[in-house]
Amino acid sequence: MIDPDEPLERQVQRQARIIDALMRRSNRQHEVGGTAYGAFQSAIALQGQVWAKTRDLERTTDELRHARDEGERMRKNLADALAAMEGGVALFTDGRLEVCNDIFLKLLPDVSGRLQPGTGIEQCFGALSGSRHVVTVEGNVDAALAQARRGGVGTSVVSLVIALTGDRWYQINLQRTSDRNIVLLLTEITTIVRRNRSEKEHLIDRQADYLQAVFENMTSGVCTFSPEGAVMMYNQQFRILLGLPYTMLQKGTDLHQLLDFVAGHKVIVDAGLFEIAQWLDRLDRQGRLRRRMRHATGRMLDLHAHRLPDGGVMLELKDVTLETRATEMLENRVVERTEELTRANDQLRQQFDEMARVEEELRQAKERAEAAVSSKTRFLAAASHDLLQPVNAAKLLIATLRESTEGTGVGGMVERLDGSFSSIEQLLHSLLDISRLDSADRALTPSDVGIGSLMRSVRDDQLPLAQRKGVTLDVVPSGAFVRSDPVYLLRSIQNLVVNALQYTPEGGRVLVGCRPRRGRIELQVWDTGIGISRKDQKRIFEEFARADNVPLGSGVGLGLSIVDRTCRHLGHKVRVRSKPGVGSVFSIEMELAEGRVAQSSEPAEGCAGPVVSETEMDHIVLLVENDPDVLFAFTSKLEQWGASVLPAGSITEALGHVRDIGMAPDIILADYQLDDGETGDRAIAAVRELTGVRVPAIIITADRSTGLVSKGAVEGFSVLTKPVQLSRLRPLIDWKIRWQSPEAAE
C-alpha cells in the first residue's frame, strides 16, 4: 500500500492515514461487538498493528531527517568550495540562479541585491550590464547565452570581457555542464591586460626608434610635414642633399619658409617662387608630385612629394647624378647607333630589294617548274589510257597467237615477243607510278588491307616466270590486315618479288612471308640470288640506279625507287640485308590493323580468285570496247576460251545486241572510257535497266585510282586495270558467273 520509491514525506502521510483508518475501524467494532472478549481481542490486534506502523513511521522519519542533514551538508560543502575559489562562480539550473559565491555577489555592489537564488540568467546579465561600475562589455551577451544553450555538455567555453571602473578587467566564461545546468565563471585578467598594454606601448616606442634609425640610414633624403606645414621628422641626408644650414631645418620649421629659402638662395637652378608655387598647387590637386631638378652644385636630384593620410606631406630627395650622366651617355650612343643603323638599314633595304627581285624570279621559275610537272602529270594521266590501249590489244593478240602456235616453229618467237611486251608493260607502269607519286595531288588512300590476298595475287602472277627460270616461289599465308594503300602496296610487293626472281639463278628459291614486330608487321622477301654489296645497298633505291654486279639488259632500275617512294608516302619502313653470292632480304614494315578478321569476298584486283577448271567457257559475254584493235583481240581470246561474244563499240550498240538476243548476257566486260563521254559503268547500268537483271560485270580500265573501286563495291562490278592479266581475267569471269549469276542476284 506504500510505494517505497515515493518521497519520505509522502510515505509518512500515507502511514498516518492508514493508522487513523484502523483506529476508526477498531472503535466501530467495539461498539457493535458481540462480547467483551471479542472486543478485547480486537483491541490487542489493533494495538500490535499500531505499534508496527509506529515503528515504520519512526524509521521513515529518521531516514528523512538524515537525508535533509546530508543535503544541507552537501550544500554547505558546495558553498565552501565556491567561496574558496579565486574567481566569481554562479550555477544556473533551468535558466535560474541556483547558488553563487561571495566574489560574484560583491563584484558589483550596486546590483548584488538583485542577484538572488531563483533569478533568471537574462535578468542577472541585465543587472550586470546596467551596473554603474561596468565601463564596457566586449562581446554580445545575447549571442553568448544562445551559444552556451545550444552547445553540447562539456563543449568549448563562451567568453565575454568586461571593463570595470578603476581599470579592472574581468573575463566571463559560460559553459554548459549538464542538460539543465550552466556555470558562469568570473576571472580577473587585470594584470594580463595591463602587461599587454605596457608591452604594446614599449613596442611603439621602440618602433619609433627603429623608424628614426631607418630614416637616418636611408640613401634618400626624407622629410615629413604636419597638416599645418611644420617639420615633423627628417634625416640628415635631406639637409645634405639640399645644402641647408642646421638652423633652417629643425622640428617645427614651416614648409613655406623652407621653400622661400630654397628659392631665395637659388638652391635649385631655374626654380623661382612662381614655379615652386605651381608645385604646391599640383600637390594639392593630385596628391603627389615628381620633379627632376638641377642643384646649384651641379648635382641632379629627383623630388617625390606625397600627401599623407592625415593631410601632411612627405618629401623624398634622391641623388640621380650618376644615373643622369649614364642616361646622357646612353642617349648619345643611341644617337650614334641610330645613325649607324640608318645607314645599315639603307644597305639592307637595297639588299632586300635585290633579294625580292631574285625571289620573284625564283617564284616564277618555281611556278614554271610546277606547271611543267603538273602538265607532265596531266599528260601522263590523260595519255595512260591511250598508252595502255595498244599494249593491252597486243598482249591479247599475243596470248591468242601463243596458244595457236604452241608446238610450232614460230612458238619460240611468239614467246620472245610476249617477253618483250611484258618488259614494255613493266616500264610503262613504272613511269606512270613515278609520275603519280611525284604529283602534288597524289591519290594514296590508306585503308585496312588484307596482306594475304596481295601476296597470293603476286604469287599467281609471277609463278609462270618462276617456273620458266627454274626458281622455287613460295608464299607463307597470312591473315593479317595492315594500314596501307592496296594498289601501291600490291605494286611494291610485286616489284620486290620480280627483282628477287630476276636476280636468282636457276635452282634458287624466293620466299615471301610476314613477321610480327611489336604491334606492327614486317613483310619480307627472301632470295638466294646474286646479292648486293654494302656500298650498293645505299643507292639501289634511287632512280635508274643498279648494283655493280647486275648483268646488262636486266632492267632500268625503277622498281626499288617506286617501292621507296610509296613506302615514304605511306609511312612504311623499307630495309635491305644482303650478302654477295648468298642472297638478299627486302622488308616493308607497316602498321598492323588490330581487331580485323579476314572475310571471304570476291577476288579483288590482283587476286586469282577460286581455282577453276580449264574447260571451255560456255557463256554469253557482252564486250563493250571503243578501241577496234582491243575489241578484236579481246573477242578473239574470249572465243578461243569458248565464249559466245557480243562485241559492241558503244552503249547503243550493246543495248542493240541485248534486244536482238532477247535475254540478259551472262556477264558484261566493259572498258571505262568510251567515246562521246560514255563510260563503262553507265553501259552496265543501261543493260541492267533494259533486262531488269543485275548482270555480273567487270570494268577494264587504265584508271588506277581507288575511287572507281569504291564505286564498283557500291554498284556491284569488279575492276581490272590495263593491260589486263589473262591469268586474273579468266578465274574472275568464272567466279562472278558462278557466284553472282543474274538468277542468284535477283
Side-chain angles (χ1 to χ4, degrees), residues 522 541 573-577 585-589:
E522 187 175 291
F541 292 102
K573 296 181 180 179
V574 182
R575 300 185 182 90
V576 59
R577 303 195 308 272
V585 181
F586 285 85
S587 62
I588 302 176
E589 184 178 320

Side-chain angles (χ1 to χ4, degrees), residues 483-667:
R483 290 292 297 176
S484 185
D485 183 281
V487 175
Y488 282 93
L489 181 58
L490 174 64
R491 294 286 296 164
S492 299
I493 300 173
Q494 188 175 30
N495 286 338
L496 294 180
V497 174
V498 168
N499 274 9
L501 292 173
Q502 188 172 4
Y503 300 120
T504 300
E506 184 179 357
R509 184 186 180 192
V510 175
L511 176 64
V512 183
C514 296
R515 292 180 185 273
R517 300 290 187 191
R518 297 182 299 276
R520 298 173 69 86
I521 194 166
E522 187 175 291
L523 181 141
Q524 297 180 342
V525 179
W526 295 68
D527 67 64
T528 59
I530 60 177
I532 307 169
S533 64
R534 185 175 297 275
K535 66 180 184 67
D536 288 335
Q537 292 178 18
K538 299 180 180 179
R539 63 184 187 90
I540 56 175
F541 292 102
E542 301 174 1
E543 290 88 348
F544 306 104
R546 297 185 302 172
D548 293 339
N549 58 345
V550 171
L552 296 175
S554 55
V556 295
L558 290 177
L560 292 179
S561 173
I562 294 173
V563 173
D564 181 62
R565 293 189 184 202
T566 299
C567 292
R568 276 192 284 109
H569 293 321
L570 293 171
H572 304 337
K573 296 181 180 179
V574 182
R575 300 185 182 90
V576 59
R577 303 195 308 272
S578 184
K579 185 175 181 180
V582 177
S584 305
V585 181
F586 285 85
S587 62
I588 302 176
E589 184 178 320
M590 297 162 284
E591 180 184 355
L592 187 63
E594 296 289 347
R596 287 298 306 273
V597 180
Q599 299 178 354
S600 60
S601 61
E602 68 173 54
E605 179 192 348
C607 299
V611 179
V612 296
S613 62
E614 292 296 332
T615 59
E616 288 192 353
M617 186 186 295
D618 187 17
H619 305 303
I620 299 176
V621 180
L622 175 60
L623 179 62
V624 185
E625 171 62 63
N626 63 327
D627 190 308
D629 294 335
V630 178
L631 183 63
F632 172 77
F634 235 137
T635 301
S636 300
K637 188 60 184 175
L638 292 171
E639 289 178 346
Q640 189 180 52
W641 285 345
S644 297
V645 184
L646 302 176
S650 64
I651 297 178
T652 302
E653 188 176 354
L655 295 177
H657 287 319
V658 174
R659 293 189 185 96
D660 290 341
I661 65 175
M663 60 182 294
D666 295 319
I667 192 169

Side-chain angles (χ1 to χ4, degrees), residues 657-711:
H657 287 319
V658 174
R659 293 189 185 96
D660 290 341
I661 65 175
M663 60 182 294
D666 295 319
I667 192 169
I668 302 172
L669 303 182
D671 185 14
Y672 181 67
Q673 295 179 351
L674 303 175
D675 293 335
D676 301 327
E678 295 182 345
T679 56
D681 58 332
R682 295 179 184 174
I684 295 171
V687 172
R688 289 176 174 174
E689 183 179 1
L690 177 63
T691 61
V693 176
R694 190 177 178 86
V695 182
I698 301 173
I699 290 287
I700 301 173
T701 180
D703 185 1
R704 293 177 174 269
S705 66
T706 57
L708 186 59
V709 176
S710 301
K711 187 175 183 180

Side-chain angles (χ1 to χ4, degrees), residues 108-123:
L108 303 173
D110 58 334
V111 297
S112 60
R114 298 165 58 185
L115 304 179
Q116 299 299 324
T119 304
I121 189 169
E122 288 84 358
Q123 288 77 18

Side-chain angles (χ1 to χ4, degrees), residues 1 142 334-335 433 524 557 649:
M1 295 179 67
D142 295 335
V334 168
V335 172
D433 287 340
Q524 297 180 342

Side-chain angles (χ1 to χ4, degrees), residues 220-223 225 234-244 249 258 303 315-317:
S220 302
V222 179
C223 183
F225 297 85
Y234 66 93
N235 62 1
Q236 294 300 321
Q237 187 69 12
F238 184 83
R239 185 188 61 80
I240 294 171
L241 288 177
L242 278 181
L244 300 175
L249 188 62
L258 184 64
L303 171 65
L315 298 182
E316 180 183 6
L317 284 175

